[in-house]
Amino acid sequence: MKINPAFKPYQSKPVTRYAHRIEDADELTKVGEASYTISLHDEMVEFKAYEPPVAGDFIVWLKDDDIYHCSRAVFHERNHVED
């Protein structure tokens, strides 16, 4: 399929994501239909998760009211991660 000439190419901006890799020792608590909390440095952080978060997955912080779960596989696809 040929790209319609009305579509112009735009380069996306590189972005740095702030994330926490969920560890086995982390305590996650389900607090709503699609919300969980985790204690990080003595602070309870609430985040959205539409599938159960597990060790190895990530919690991504975009801003104070936009914190969400990202599976390990998806996070590794979209970010440079050193294991």
Side-chain angles (χ1 to χ4, degrees):
M1 180 176 166
K2 188 172 135 184
I3 296 176
N4 183 303
F7 290 90
K8 308 263 185 264
Y10 293 90
Q11 291 297 317
S12 61
K13 295 179 182 179
V15 63
T16 298
R17 287 186 175 83
Y18 291 89
H20 168 75
R21 185 188 325 239
I22 300 171
E23 303 293 334
D24 287 326
D26 288 336
E27 291 187 31
L28 303 169
T29 304
K30 188 171 173 86
V31 294
E33 174 122 358
S35 295
Y36 288 77
T37 59
I38 185 172
S39 179
L40 299 173
H41 295 279
D42 297 325
E43 178 184 343
M44 293 305 290
V45 176
E46 187 170 335
F47 63 95
K48 292 293 181 189
Y50 298 99
E51 61 185 59
V54 296
D57 288 353
F58 291 81
I59 300 168
V60 180
W61 180 94
L62 292 181
K63 55 185 181 176
D64 286 342
D65 62 347
D66 194 359
I67 305 170
Y68 62 92
H69 164 256
C70 186
S71 71
R72 181 184 190 281
V74 170
F75 194 84
H76 278 254
E77 277 178 17
R78 298 180 181 169
N79 302 280
H80 299 287
V81 180
E82 295 178 21
D83 279 329

